[in-house]
Amino acid sequence: MAGHLDKNPHESPYQRLQRQLGDLIAASEPGTKLPTEPDLAAQMGVSRSTLREAMRSFEAQGLLIRRQGAGTFVVGKSGVFETGIEVLESLETIASRLKLKISMGESQIETIQADEDMAKCFEVRKGTSLLCVTRVMHAEGRSIAFLQDILPRDILPLKDLQETFTGSVLDMLIRRGKPPLEKSFTEINAVSAPSRVARALEIQRGDVLLMFEADLFALDGSAVDHSRSYFLPGYFRFHVLRKIGVP
Amino acid sequence: MAGHLDKNPHESPYQRLQRQLGDLIAASEPGTKLPTEPDLAAQMGVSRSTLREAMRSFEAQGLLIRRQGAGTFVVGKSGVFETGIEVLESLETIASRLKLKISMGESQIETIQADEDMAKCFEVRKGTSLLCVTRVMHAEGRSIAFLQDILPRDILPLKDLQETFTGSVLDMLIRRGKPPLEKSFTEINAVSAPSRVARALEIQRGDVLLMFEADLFALDGSAVDHSRSYFLPGYFRFHVLRKIGVP
DNA sequence: CATTAAGATATGTTTAGACAATCCTCATGG
DNA sequence: CCATGAGGATTGTCTAAACATATCTTAATG
């Protein structure tokens, strides 16, 4: 990216480190195992902590994958899930269209009690039982998304969920056809990975994630699902076509 | 948020730290200066590094502001820039509608040479001169967004920019009325703050930012502007209404 | 009274090291 | 040949400390 605020573009040691790391990654074939952290730190003349800090941003961009006990590997930039967000679609649908593979990893279906926010969302009493479906989605041999849906018990039979769930609550609802769905209101933000999500996604706690928090509405206006989806940034490219507003 | 993958919700020391910090912040009036990092670390029984790591996520949520040499302050959650992204509007327009104050801080207008990407974007030869407008936007006494627009020299007179620019290239283009604008194609992602952006936004390098990278098109289909906007997550709530797709 | 400089305070960055947790390889035994 | 366990390799987390940088306060001087 050209242009910057600092008139004197003198490179700090950390920026030099970033550039050198970027060069090393660019020069390595996908699948390459990089030197160990202690070795790389020594080569680049920085401490292991400083190197790790720099590596985090490359991992966030999907250029590296680090595996505890195994090593650090360069990732090929092939399977990016690219889609517009004007239309709500499941990851499976997007994958199918892009001819990419995605699968559901670890998952969990449980019953929870509505807290104040959920009670308000579904217009039920606090403490009402809700279904919570949590899973990790995998592509290219790693976890790339952590998804969680909360929905009233009567919206999807628990039995169906337990027997046929393959990763998308939305697809199940669409296939089932009732209630008929109308729209989703989705909030978008960047978050620092909470410990539990980080563990599930095999990243460091505190790493950068893109999060969509959404309410799904039926035609009759009632909320039928509340979801939180955490995406590893380097594996997704979301975009939106925007009309021009009038000030 | 209820529900989690770990069946045994035993709290790790770091999670305990996060909870305690969250409680402390919630219990403090906006504007409160927290104990110094060494003191707080001692009180919470962790090292200063671990405390700093935990504080980063609160700063990302806009709950804290840290100022080098001055201290750490609790932030009141009042002025969140909330808007749909179906329509492209400047921060000033959004602020005006929400009755929030925003102003332009440090800015820079310079001429740059088109690299390969920019040459392709604007359909010009590599090396062609382009204008680059970079600025930091302030609200509530702090930097909350780092914005950068790149545009061909003939789209906006440099003189006009230098004399009347107050923060929004979009608003200038709309007021000028030519070329007539049609739409913006915006990519959305979460990024780890690069050093220069971090410095401008007064955050730690590597912190979480929401980034929009956009191409603005005129009615005749030509690209008239390419921009990158970095947003401090806690100060913005972007949302989108999504139609339901068919798998 | 205003300005400036020095000292104190506090966050930002870097380093080194220790230990925990995970993964991989190799040797051994069934 | 396969399973298992031990040991080595490597990343993840935490700690302590040092130094850089920024801010604030206070004292001295004009």
Side-chain angles (χ1 to χ4, degrees), chain B residues 57-94:
Chain B
S57 74
F58 289 100
E59 189 155 24
Q61 297 172 64
L63 300 175
L64 285 184
I65 180 173
R66 294 186 289 172
R67 290 194 173 286
Q68 185 175 357
T72 302
F73 304 86
V74 176
V75 174
K77 291 279 282 182
S78 54
V80 174
F81 288 72
E82 175 163 11
T83 185
I85 56 172
E86 296 85 346
V87 170
L88 177 67
E89 296 174 307
S90 67
L91 288 183
E92 291 85 341
T93 302
I94 296 164

Side-chain angles (χ1 to χ4, degrees), chain A residues 110-113 128-131 151-158 161:
Chain A
E110 61 189 333
T111 299
I112 62 169
Q113 268 75 51
T128 300
S129 280
L130 301 173
L131 287 181
L151 57 177
R153 298 176 68 108
D154 60 330
I155 296 300
L156 274 182
L158 175 56
L161 265 175

Side-chain angles (χ1 to χ4, degrees), chain A residues 116-128:
Chain A
E116 191 160 343
D117 287 335
M118 290 300 95
K120 191 170 179 179
C121 172
F122 296 116
E123 298 179 310
V124 296
R125 271 182 294 108
K126 207 169 160 183
T128 300

Side-chain angles (χ1 to χ4, degrees), chain B residues 36-37 48 52 66 69 72 204-205:
Chain B
T36 67
E37 288 179 358
R48 198 184 143 227
R52 286 183 57 82
R66 294 186 289 172
T72 302
Q204 252 179 278
R205 177 193 66 223

Side-chain angles (χ1 to χ4, degrees), chain A residues 28-141:
Chain A
S28 303
E29 291 291 307
T32 300
K33 180 172 176 250
L34 294 185
T36 67
E37 287 180 357
D39 285 349
L40 209 44
Q43 285 174 37
M44 304 216 168
V46 295
S47 75
R48 198 182 146 228
S49 302
T50 298
L51 174 75
R52 285 182 59 78
E53 186 70 19
M55 289 176 88
R56 287 173 90 166
S57 74
F58 290 99
E59 189 157 23
Q61 298 172 64
L63 300 174
L64 286 185
I65 180 173
R66 292 184 291 171
R67 293 194 172 283
Q68 185 174 358
T72 302
F73 304 86
V74 176
V75 174
K77 291 279 281 183
S78 54
V80 174
F81 287 72
E82 173 162 12
T83 186
I85 56 170
E86 297 84 347
V87 170
L88 178 67
E89 295 175 309
S90 66
L91 288 183
E92 290 85 342
T93 302
I94 296 165
S96 179
R97 179 169 68 253
L98 299 176
K99 296 179 172 46
L100 298 172
K101 293 184 188 315
I102 197 163
S103 59
M104 183 172 81
E106 194 172 5
S107 68
Q108 186 182 15
I109 302 172
E110 61 189 333
T111 299
I112 62 169
Q113 268 75 51
D115 61 15
E116 191 160 343
D117 287 335
M118 290 300 95
K120 191 170 179 179
C121 172
F122 296 116
E123 298 179 310
V124 296
R125 271 182 294 108
K126 207 169 160 183
T128 300
S129 280
L130 301 173
L131 287 181
C132 178
V133 187
T134 307
R135 67 276 185 205
V136 177
M137 304 304 291
H138 285 83
E140 303 196 354

